[in-house]
Amino acid sequence: MSGILQDRVAIITGAGGGLGAAHAKVFASEGCAVVVNDINTDAAQAVVDEITNAGGKAIVNSSDITNYDDSLNAIKQAIDSFGDLHIVLNNAGVNRDRMFASMTEQEWDTIMAVHLKGHFCMSSHAVHYWRGQSKEGKPVDARIINTTSGAGLQGSIGQSNYTAAKAGIAALTLNQAAELGRYNITANSVAPSARTGMTSAVPEMAERMAKPEDGSFDHFAPENVSNLLAWLASAEAAQVSGRVFEAEGGRICICDGWRTTDGVDRGAPWPPAEVGEAVKALLAKETPAQKVWGT
């Protein structure tokens, strides 16, 4: 197989199903050697089998992305098996949906571990490897691709834990891009909208995202998102970093982040009783944020 990812090596987390499996297959079809990471080894093996049967290169990795030491094994396996590592695509995720007033500590901690810490662990070890290469004078052209969500960008009723983690991932991406460019490492994040196991578990979403039976364009096919990620992982995207994209169907967008407005400045402290007038003036000039999902 040949394509825009020829001779590149990627680790894709949570690639045993859903979006991760689609990413792995598209990457492999573009010539990438893929480490299919998933704690469900049977599911990961099925993806690997499909890739290798089609002539691609892939292996299973079952490292726990929430365990820092175990995550290192994925990086070692990629290098031992394929000779190098160029891309970490952090995709793995879970849901523990609950209204904030009813949310448990365990539901909060699980989401933070899988999403935020999971994005940290694998990327941290990969960055150590790439920084070492850079310091040795070896060429580096590396990619970190993170997975955020519209829920993290706008909020989502019943998902306070998930929205907080996904917002954290978007902010992490900006910092990674700012800090790691010196080593020729880019960092970008994508908020996907596609049909997955998690969306199919919600009846309304399952109906809305169902595959068309007439053979027309499958708007919510996960591969639509994977195609953008494959390009971001390629050598062609070396100058694109610190961006948060949204991808749905045939539509690709860049998300604008928080921006500071002109503000109201009196050049002296605001007496508490007069702050209300300043806030009123600010609100009159603001561009309202997008509405929270579910409101």
Side-chain angles (χ1 to χ4, degrees):
M1 290 185 176
S2 62
I4 63 171
L5 296 178
Q6 188 66 37
D7 299 324
R8 289 172 76 73
V9 180
I11 297 171
I12 302 178
T13 68
L19 276 165
H23 299 339
K25 294 170 192 176
V26 169
F27 275 45
S29 72
E30 291 293 333
C32 193
V34 182
V35 177
V36 178
N37 164 267
D38 205 294
I39 56 173
N40 185 336
T41 54
D42 290 340
Q45 186 63 57
V47 174
V48 168
D49 290 344
E50 186 172 343
I51 290 172
T52 55
N53 288 339
K57 297 179 181 179
I59 56 172
V60 172
N61 171 265
S62 58
S63 292
D64 178 358
I65 63 167
T66 69
N67 182 297
Y68 190 73
D69 291 339
D70 194 19
S71 293
L72 177 59
N73 292 322
I75 279 73
K76 290 180 177 178
Q77 188 176 353
I79 297 166
D80 290 344
S81 300
F82 300 123
D84 208 343
L85 175 65
H86 307 94
I87 304 144
V88 169
L89 199 175
N90 293 303
N91 164 80
V94 295
N95 283 110
R96 294 292 186 272
D97 294 352
R98 189 87 64 186
M99 297 297 281
F100 184 80
S102 303
M103 186 168 292
T104 68
E105 180 183 16
Q106 184 59 53
E107 289 165 342
W108 180 271
D109 287 349
T110 296
I111 293 298
M112 294 303 154
V114 175
H115 290 274
L116 267 180
K117 187 177 181 183
H119 272 59
F120 165 73
C121 290
M122 201 70 75
S123 299
S124 174
H125 292 302
V127 166
H128 294 164
Y129 170 67
W130 293 325
R131 182 178 62 180
Q133 285 186 312
S134 178
K135 289 183 175 180
E136 292 173 9
K138 297 178 181 178
V140 176
D141 185 23
R143 306 281 181 270
I144 296 173
I145 302 176
N146 297 325
T147 304
T148 183
S149 168
L153 304 176
Q154 284 103 44
S156 178
I157 296 297
Q159 292 189 305
S160 294
N161 48 1
Y162 184 77
T163 60
K166 288 302 191 183
I169 288 168
L172 171 65
T173 303
L174 304 184
N175 255 51
Q176 287 175 325
E179 294 180 8
L180 302 176
R182 70 190 72 179
Y183 307 118
N184 292 321
I185 304 167
T186 70
N188 293 287
S189 188
V190 177
S193 181
R195 186 174 55 251
T196 68
M198 287 194 289
T199 62
S200 297
V202 182
E204 313 87 72
M205 296 184 72
E207 182 178 354
R208 182 171 69 89
M209 293 183 166
K211 185 176 182 178
E213 297 180 358
D214 60 2
S216 59
F217 174 52
D218 187 358
H219 185 86
F220 290 105
E223 292 79 12
N224 297 330
V225 178
S226 306
N227 294 332
L228 166 62
L229 302 191
W231 184 84
L232 287 173
S234 75
E236 296 179 27
Q239 305 307 314
V240 179
S241 193
R243 302 296 192 279
V244 177
F245 293 88
E246 285 187 291
E248 177 186 312
R251 185 169 178 259
I252 299 172
C253 309
I254 289 180
C255 303
D256 279 336
W258 296 98
R259 296 182 183 277
T260 304
T261 64
D262 291 338
V264 179
D265 186 356
R266 65 182 288 163
W270 284 93
E274 297 179 23
V275 169
E277 287 301 312
V279 172
K280 184 178 179 180
L282 290 172
L283 294 176
K285 296 189 298 181
E286 75 164 342
T287 300
Q290 290 178 236
K291 290 187 175 182
V292 171
W293 293 96
T295 60

